[in-house]
Amino acid sequence: MAKLRAGKYVVESLLAENVKYLFGIPGGGVAPFFNEFYDYPQIQTILTQHEQGAGFMADGYFRASGQVAACAATVGPGGVNLASGLHPAYQDNQAVLAFTNNVPTEQFGKGGIQDASGWGPRSISHVGIFKEVTKWSVLVTKPENVPEVIRRAFRIMLTGRKGPVHVDLAQDVIRAEIEAEFQPPKKYRPMGPVRGNPLLIKEAAEHLVNAVSPAIMSGGGIIASGASPELVELATLLGSPVATTAMGKGSFPEDHPLAVGVVGLFGHATANTILRGDKTDVLLAIGTIFHQVTTTSWVKNFGGQKIIQIDNDPTEIGKNYPVEVGIVGDAKAVLQDLLTEVKSTLSKLPPPAIRELEERKKARQKEILALKGELKYYVEPESYSDAVPMKPQRVVREIRQFLDKDAIVLADCGNNLAWVEKYYQALMPKGFIADGGHTAMGFSVAASIGVKLGAPDRQVVDVCGNGSFTMLSKELNTASAYNVPVIWCILNDMNLGMIIQGQKFGYGVWEPERYIATQSYVMDFVKFAEACHAFGQKVEKPTEIKDALKNAFDSGKPSLIDIRIDPDEVPVGALKRFEAIVRKYPDLGQKKMPTSTFPKKIA
């Protein structure tokens, strides 16, 4: 039993859990908590420009490294800001440990400055705010409860479907002395994966071996569990085409002969053609929730005639589509066992059945190859365009050609996510990162800093829109302060691209061309980069992109590349979404986006 301050106990517990970073802003209320880190240089404190950015950075760090990072904010306004940085982690199942402080317990409910206890009139509640964006949110009012709270926080974060946790420490609790026993993580949380039911795995193997036209859909669960090697082996064994969700992009190399790309509204035509009931009789879906965008709003013939679903969250099994077999377990562990069963089943087949299976595999692979050629899989004509202003498809292709095979590319929400999802060929696990569940503008701008810290030996490039970048542009200064050499490539169409295009087509529900509040006075991004001690360059021709990337990487600094793209280029998925309006107004697609003059005089 050791006697020490509760705040010190928290820091030493983080060390035991291999936490290396604390992102946040040390406001006065949370200052005692930050003070405890002074004597522990093993945990690097990163001063962010905004608390939301701190949450996004911790999220990005976990996505890249698989290790938990902490973030912290002061009571009241800081806590409210930090909560807004956790919703992508909550929706996308990323483990983030968020700390806030509260006023001393003796001040609860008295209406003092920044009271966030939730006691009484005009007092906000940290727990009330954070509970909507975390797996668990708790206010700690007794110092002796701190050890169990920290143990429980890691257990909840890292068990089952991962997610963020919030711990709110009353200020007097942080400073109080406690007697506590330290335990290694294996003493208070499970360390191994959950394996699936053997009988269900055996049944799934039989369905897959007997299938005439099987297919696989790989989601973010494959990346989270590190199951890509097993996925490649199983697909090769069965001769099955593999589509990924947006969150699963990169879990299966997109240059593999069996790869058919991303499925969904903004994905690849090849994947969308294959993953239909008339093309696939058995679909193996792993680590995916059958999201609205993945299924193009849950169309009835999506997937296959029979679906085998694997997920570590039992509430996801059969939630959106009925399943033939539902297996609860870790993707890697279940695939390992499934491979064993498939091999066992194959070994028992008589020679004629094996020959028949091989013929089916050859026919399936020939069908996939022909379809990829017909639908121009990753050789779409737009991605070779020399047009100026530039086609975003060409921009993304140039970025892919310049970067290393294991580079990590992030995309923010909006059109830039659509362009990267479809035209950037991901070749490695964790080679593509995006907030696919909540699509928060500015997420990737800050998250990319955490990603680079989590994967320091890999190139990190964020492809974002001008609107997304300005949301959290201030975090460029954070990258400069700590010499984190992320490259931000801004696809600059001078608009809020997806929004103004939605207004052009009336969002499919009202008359088109009712434009409002979609254009801003776009900053000089190169001067902004220089003001933040970073490298900046403007690019207006596709032949300049690779040189700009080389200059950025050679600078050794965080860098911003302002890439001017055609504002009238609309993602195919958006046109599909608005196809009824396009048919009704056939000339609408040829009309140019409006332009505004700034500054405006309204006062």
Side-chain angles (χ1 to χ4, degrees), residues 481-522:
Y482 297 94
N483 194 30
V484 185
V486 173
I487 312 297
W488 286 271
C489 290
I490 300 176
L491 301 187
N492 188 354
D493 62 3
M494 312 293 284
N495 298 302
L496 298 180
M498 184 169 276
I499 299 173
I500 196 170
Q501 288 175 4
Q503 291 178 0
K504 178 178 183 177
F505 295 102
Y507 281 103
V509 293
W510 60 74
E511 63 270 28
E513 296 188 283
R514 291 170 62 85
Y515 300 109
I516 183 170
T518 54
Q519 295 178 317
S520 61
Y521 200 175
V522 178

Side-chain angles (χ1 to χ4, degrees), residues 369-507:
L369 185 62
L371 191 63
K372 288 164 78 169
E374 177 188 342
L375 298 176
K376 308 296 183 185
Y377 178 77
Y378 278 115
V379 288
E380 298 89 343
E382 300 87 354
S383 63
Y384 295 90
S385 172
D386 292 324
V388 176
M390 287 178 278
K391 297 297 182 185
Q393 302 95 320
R394 171 70 186 273
V395 174
V396 174
R397 182 178 181 83
E398 292 290 318
I399 292 171
R400 169 66 280 177
Q401 288 184 336
F402 178 87
L403 296 178
D404 295 341
K405 180 178 180 180
D406 70 343
I408 301 175
V409 165
L410 294 91
D412 214 83
C413 72
N415 279 348
N416 55 89
L417 176 55
W419 300 129
V420 178
E421 179 182 323
K422 185 172 181 180
Y423 295 96
Y424 181 83
Q425 196 168 34
L427 307 176
M428 299 279 287
K430 298 184 180 179
F432 168 77
I433 291 176
D435 164 24
H438 210 88
T439 60
M441 285 184 71
F443 166 79
S444 67
V445 178
S448 56
I449 297 172
V451 168
K452 183 62 178 176
L453 292 172
D457 297 328
R458 296 172 71 174
Q459 296 170 325
V460 176
V461 173
D462 176 27
V463 180
C464 58
N466 45 288
S468 293
F469 182 80
T470 53
M471 279 275 183
L472 278 172
S473 56
K474 63 192 79 172
E475 299 301 352
L476 176 59
N477 204 42
T478 303
S480 291
Y482 297 94
N483 194 30
V484 185
V486 173
I487 312 297
W488 286 271
C489 290
I490 300 176
L491 301 187
N492 188 354
D493 62 3
M494 312 293 284
N495 298 302
L496 298 180
M498 184 169 276
I499 299 173
I500 196 170
Q501 288 175 4
Q503 291 178 0
K504 178 178 183 177
F505 295 102
Y507 281 103

Side-chain angles (χ1 to χ4, degrees), residues 313-363:
D313 183 350
T315 64
E316 293 294 345
I317 302 293
K319 183 183 76 176
N320 290 327
Y321 286 90
V323 299
E324 191 73 17
V325 184
I327 303 171
V328 178
D330 173 79
K332 189 178 185 74
V334 173
L335 281 183
Q336 288 171 343
D337 295 341
L338 185 57
L339 273 166
T340 300
E341 281 296 336
V342 167
K343 290 174 182 177
S344 175
T345 302
L346 290 172
S347 69
K348 297 172 186 175
L349 291 177
I354 292 176
R355 287 195 295 270
E356 182 185 346
L357 176 63
E358 290 302 318
E359 289 301 318
R360 291 205 305 265
K361 285 170 59 175
K362 288 179 183 177

Side-chain angles (χ1 to χ4, degrees), residues 14 37 40 79 97 169 175 277 293 342 401 458 531:
L14 298 189
F37 288 83
Y40 296 90
L97 181 55
L169 299 163
R175 298 192 299 262
V293 174
V342 167
Q401 288 184 336
R458 296 172 71 174

Side-chain angles (χ1 to χ4, degrees), residues 5 107 160 173 201 212 262 265 290 321 359 395 410 448 461 597:
R5 288 186 305 277
Q107 295 180 16
V173 169
I201 291 173
V212 175
V262 179
L265 184 62
F290 290 88
Y321 286 90
E359 289 301 318
V395 174
L410 294 91
S448 56
V461 173
T597 302

Side-chain angles (χ1 to χ4, degrees), residues 156-185:
I156 291 172
M157 269 192 299
L158 296 170
T159 302
R161 187 171 285 276
K162 297 177 177 65
V165 161
H166 165 241
V167 177
D168 191 23
L169 299 163
Q171 199 172 76
D172 50 321
V173 169
I174 298 171
R175 298 192 299 262
E177 288 207 339
I178 60 173
E179 287 191 352
E181 180 181 358
F182 285 96
Q183 297 178 3

